[in-house]
Amino acid sequence: MSFQVWMAFMLACWVISVSPGAGAIASMSSGLNYGFRRGYWNAIGLQLALLVQIGIVAAGVGVLFATTPWAFLLVKWFGVGYLLYLAYLQWKAPVQSIEIEQERQATKSIPKLVGYGFLVNMSNPKAIVFLLAVLPQFLDLSKPQWIQYVMMAVTMISIDLIVMAGYTGLAAKVLKLLKSPKQQKYMNRTFAVLFSCAAGLLSLVHQ
């Protein structure tokens, strides 16, 4: 992969990462509820799923999702259901004073936050189909492909970590502005609506 091609790929990664989606919503939700330091573990889960997806595309298994309707639909509707489940949890999230909420942050399981992010990204079949359509365009077929896939994976994950840090940090700052349970309730339900919207958009995705 030449430097010019890598630059074009890097710019594409910035656009993809900054564009709001289920991952960004999950990052903001985690930052809001658990603060930046703990909530950022959600972003680690997102990247682990992205790494698996890139591996699937590199192995050629992504063709299955692009050509087999039942496999695509199975993963798609699992993703829709999971996003709606997250919306339900966010809608029903208890509201309490900021001091109490911050104390609760320390008891939240990090593996659960990582798993939360992993499932959000992994349950989106559009990501695999998108990667299958985009990544090969930047490949130099005259050179070993696995090295190029590693370069693209490192680039994409590094940029996404930076962007998700921004989303998580922004939401964590908002946490300091929430002075009453009523404000927290409105914020929780706002994220519930965003998760529902993300589920609705995912349900409209076709092969």
Side-chain angles (χ1 to χ4, degrees):
M1 179 183 292
S2 67
F3 179 75
Q4 291 81 3
V5 173
W6 178 80
M7 283 294 294
F9 177 73
M10 183 185 67
L11 291 175
C13 288
W14 278 107
V15 173
I16 294 167
S17 293
V18 172
S19 301
I25 295 171
S27 293
M28 289 188 288
S29 176
S30 295
L32 173 66
N33 289 315
Y34 312 115
F36 178 79
R37 291 181 63 183
R38 187 159 293 267
Y40 192 57
W41 284 99
N42 164 81
I44 303 301
L46 292 173
Q47 305 320 309
L48 289 175
L50 180 58
L51 184 61
V52 171
Q53 291 168 335
I54 293 174
I56 290 174
V57 172
V61 181
V63 174
L64 177 67
F65 291 90
T67 59
T68 307
W70 67 264
F72 180 85
L73 289 174
L74 180 65
V75 178
K76 182 180 84 167
W77 288 109
F78 172 76
V80 171
Y82 185 67
L83 287 173
L84 289 175
Y85 172 69
L86 295 179
Y88 170 77
L89 291 181
Q90 197 71 42
W91 186 274
K92 302 292 289 186
V95 292
Q96 44 199 313
S97 69
I98 292 300
E99 290 75 22
I100 295 175
E101 180 68 17
Q102 287 178 330
E103 289 176 3
R104 188 175 65 84
Q105 292 172 18
T107 63
K108 182 65 177 180
S109 168
I110 288 176
K112 285 185 178 180
L113 283 170
V114 174
Y116 168 81
F118 182 85
L119 282 175
V120 166
N121 250 6
M122 204 61 204
S123 62
N124 185 359
K126 183 181 180 182
I128 296 179
V129 176
F130 177 81
L131 291 173
L132 181 65
V134 172
L135 295 187
Q137 298 183 33
F138 294 94
L139 289 175
D140 183 346
L141 299 180
S142 65
K143 298 178 181 179
Q145 294 186 24
W146 72 268
I147 297 177
Q148 298 177 72
Y149 274 115
V150 169
M151 290 177 60
M152 288 190 287
V154 170
T155 301
M156 181 171 281
I157 289 173
S158 298
I159 290 174
D160 207 50
L161 280 171
I162 294 172
V163 173
M164 292 307 126
Y167 278 124
T168 306
L170 177 63
K173 292 293 184 181
V174 171
L175 176 65
K176 297 179 180 179
L177 302 178
L178 300 179
K179 302 296 184 181
S180 71
K182 184 176 181 180
Q183 290 173 316
Q184 293 180 55
K185 179 178 179 180
Y186 286 146
M187 186 62 67
N188 283 335
R189 293 193 170 182
T190 296
F191 278 107
V193 171
L194 290 174
F195 274 123
S196 297
C197 290
L201 290 174
L202 180 56
S203 71
L204 299 176
V205 172
H206 299 285
Q207 286 180 285

